[in-house]
Amino acid sequence: MTNETPETPEPAPPTVPEPANEATAGQHGFDGTFSSDDAASPDAAPEFAPVAEPAPELGVDPAAEPVVAPIEDAFVAPASDAPAHPQTALGGHELPGAPTLQSAPTYQAATGYDPNATQGHPVGGYPPGAYSAAPAAPKKPMSKGLLFGIIGGAAVLVLLIAAAIIVPNLLRGAAPTASDAVEKYLTALSEGDAEAAITFVETYADDSLLTDEVLGASLELAPITDIVVEESEDASEYEATVSASFAVGGETVERDFTAYNSSEDGWLISDGLVMATLSNFDGLGLTVNGVEPADSSTSLFPGAYQLALGYEQFALDSDTDTFTLSTDADSELFWDIYPVLTDDGAATFRSLVRTAIEECVAMKTLTTPCGMDITDIDLSGYTPVDGSVTRTITGDGQATFDSMLPEVDYSTPTLVSTYDTPDVDMTLQGTKDGTTSEFEVLFGGYMDTPSVDFAQETPTVTWD
């Protein structure tokens, strides 16, 4: 086979006679063969003469043996392995002796499609798929700054995760068993190390009092000593009950701790803290060991705690203000402790109320700020005269001022009121048809209830 080059052009193939008629492709049954009878008889001329074969394309070997295959069954191979393509006559018939087309060279872009080309012959003479697509444009490489940023961010994230795991473990130390965790927890408490102690317990409420300051004050009130922790007898892989004893201010505490094995934090004590509810003292500026809790339901370490109120007029209704807590059961006593006025607070309340009542009693009007309204009194047809009322506190009423019992409003603990009000005698004048008469009030004209809110900057009496 010879390849055509600019220096050695390939010879042109032999010319085939033009067809004898104007028949178009697909309008005859010519099969591409001739018999000897047809050639000898002048009257037996073929329906049309063979069609002239177009000149072979580049890279065609004229001497190659033709390959006969129906055009509809032709296989189109990829450009890198294009099959030989036979020369065909109009209508898709192979011509005898026609050269076989060899694989065409690949090009970066295919020649445009010609809608007038003969069926089976792509424009340019190359079979479909003989051209490879232009290579895709290369992706822009990632900038070094972006790459370093991604790597740096990932490194920071790894360090943060590692710190979240390593730092608590360094604080808490190794605790391979539940008993080890309990012992280390109590030891940290006895040393005043709240930061280490909190790593051994599960927190489930306000933790504003789980600090070195509060724990240090607890140890000053009652040191934790004599720690003894037993090995758990019912420990499983995930849960254990640990018996321990320790002394708080010389008072021995014996109790069980329940621990569970956390995959992230190791053994944690689920009931190591004491839950305390201090809602009875809302609004009174309560402090626990000198620190005001963030919430009325708060968590405490086992230890001793002194409660104080922020108003000097109030105190706890208890024999003591210091309490030892080792379990949740110990904190239940707070439900039964309420704020009460101190002696000085009660004296202040009585003084404020007495002054307010005396001011009202001195008024001559039918109504006063403290009640004793007699505008609707029945005077047997007489009309009450405003400004004619005389009110006088009785002897028993004077004694009431000294025995008046203040009561704290537990929904608003700073608000104090009393139902002990003095008896007051009242007289007034009434007129009828130009006549004026004196009347004594036997029923009605009752005094309202006095209250004092000690949360005010300047406490005063209000009436309800």
Side-chain angles (χ1 to χ4, degrees):
M1 181 179 71
T2 61
N3 294 323
E4 181 180 359
T5 65
E7 293 78 10
T8 59
E10 185 175 356
T15 305
V16 181
E18 295 293 331
N21 53 33
E22 299 295 325
T24 59
Q27 294 179 342
H28 57 82
F30 177 62
D31 59 2
T33 59
F34 300 89
S35 67
S36 59
D37 293 340
D38 293 335
S41 175
D43 299 331
E47 293 179 345
F48 62 89
V51 178
E53 181 69 23
E57 304 294 337
L58 295 178
V60 176
D61 184 359
E65 183 179 353
V67 179
V68 179
I71 190 65
E72 60 271 18
D73 296 332
F75 173 77
V76 179
S80 60
D81 190 22
H85 187 71
Q87 295 285 355
T88 59
L90 296 175
H93 297 284
E94 180 185 359
L95 293 177
T100 302
L101 294 178
Q102 301 299 317
S103 300
T106 60
Y107 291 84
Q108 293 299 321
T111 305
Y113 172 70
D114 184 358
N116 298 321
T118 305
Q119 181 179 2
H121 290 272
V123 176
Y126 298 104
Y131 304 96
S132 61
K139 295 183 178 180
K140 183 178 179 181
M142 183 182 298
S143 67
K144 291 183 178 180
L146 178 58
L147 180 60
F148 292 157
I150 294 174
I151 295 174
V156 171
L157 179 60
V158 170
L159 291 175
L160 290 175
I161 295 174
I165 297 174
I166 295 173
V167 172
N169 287 337
L170 290 176
L171 290 173
R172 76 199 313 269
T177 67
S179 296
D180 290 335
V182 172
E183 183 171 4
K184 289 180 177 295
Y185 172 56
L186 295 176
T187 300
L189 293 182
S190 68
E191 296 173 351
D193 191 348
E195 188 176 3
I198 201 172
T199 64
F200 291 98
V201 293
E202 179 183 21
T203 58
Y204 41 83
D206 169 45
D207 60 358
S208 60
L209 300 181
L210 303 179
T211 64
D212 288 349
E213 178 184 358
V214 176
L215 180 58
S218 173
L219 294 176
E220 289 181 5
L221 294 171
I224 295 178
T225 59
D226 302 332
I227 299 171
V228 177
V229 178
E230 300 178 5
E231 288 296 328
S232 175
E233 297 181 356
D234 64 347
S236 68
E237 183 178 356
Y238 305 104
E239 188 175 10
T241 301
V242 179
S243 297
S245 65
F246 52 98
V248 180
E251 181 180 347
T252 301
V253 175
E254 295 182 353
R255 59 157 297 183
D256 291 338
F257 291 94
T258 301
Y260 66 93
N261 197 354
S262 168
S263 58
E264 296 181 356
D265 302 319
W267 285 97
L268 289 178
I269 306 169
S270 61
D271 55 357
L273 298 174
V274 177
M275 182 72 176
T277 301
L278 306 169
S279 55
N280 287 352
F281 314 104
D282 285 347
L284 288 172
L286 173 74
T287 60
V288 179
N289 283 1
V291 176
E292 187 171 354
D295 193 271
S296 59
S297 294
T298 190
S299 297
L300 297 167
F301 291 124
Y305 296 94
Q306 184 177 37
L307 275 56
L309 302 178
Y311 292 89
E312 61 182 8
Q313 297 90 353
F314 294 89
L316 303 177
D317 184 16
S318 171
D319 294 335
T320 181
D321 60 359
T322 302
F323 308 90
T324 298
L325 309 175
S326 60
T327 66
D328 288 347
D330 296 334
S331 66
E332 292 179 1
L333 58 89
F334 293 138
W335 288 108
D336 299 322
I337 300 176
Y338 296 94
V340 294
L341 281 175
T342 62
D343 291 342
D344 289 342
T348 300
F349 174 78
R350 295 187 183 101
S351 175
L352 291 172
V353 171
R354 181 171 191 152
T355 299
I357 292 175
E358 288 176 344
E359 290 176 355
C360 284
V361 168
M363 294 179 179
K364 298 292 186 177
T365 55
L366 296 175
T367 62
T368 69
C370 59
M372 297 184 288
D373 186 352
I374 53 175
T375 55
D376 297 329
I377 193 170
D378 183 8
L379 298 180
S380 301
Y382 281 76
T383 301
V385 178
D386 195 11
S388 66
V389 181
T390 299
R391 298 177 177 91
T392 304
I393 300 174
T394 66
D396 291 339
Q398 291 292 342
T400 301
F401 285 130
D402 297 330
S403 62
M404 189 179 295
L405 179 63
E407 296 187 12
V408 175
D409 184 342
Y410 296 119
S411 61
T412 308
T414 58
L415 187 64
V416 181
S417 60
T418 184
Y419 295 102
D420 298 328
T421 56
D423 293 331
V424 177
D425 290 337
M426 288 183 285
T427 63
L428 77 161
Q429 293 178 348
T431 61
K432 179 179 179 182
D433 300 331
T435 303
T436 301
S437 300
E438 290 284 338
F439 295 88
E440 181 179 4
V441 178
L442 300 179
F443 302 100
Y446 300 109
M447 189 178 297
D448 292 337
T449 301
S451 298
V452 175
D453 189 352
F454 285 95
Q456 295 178 345
E457 185 175 355
T458 303
T460 56
V461 176
T462 58
W463 299 91
D464 298 312

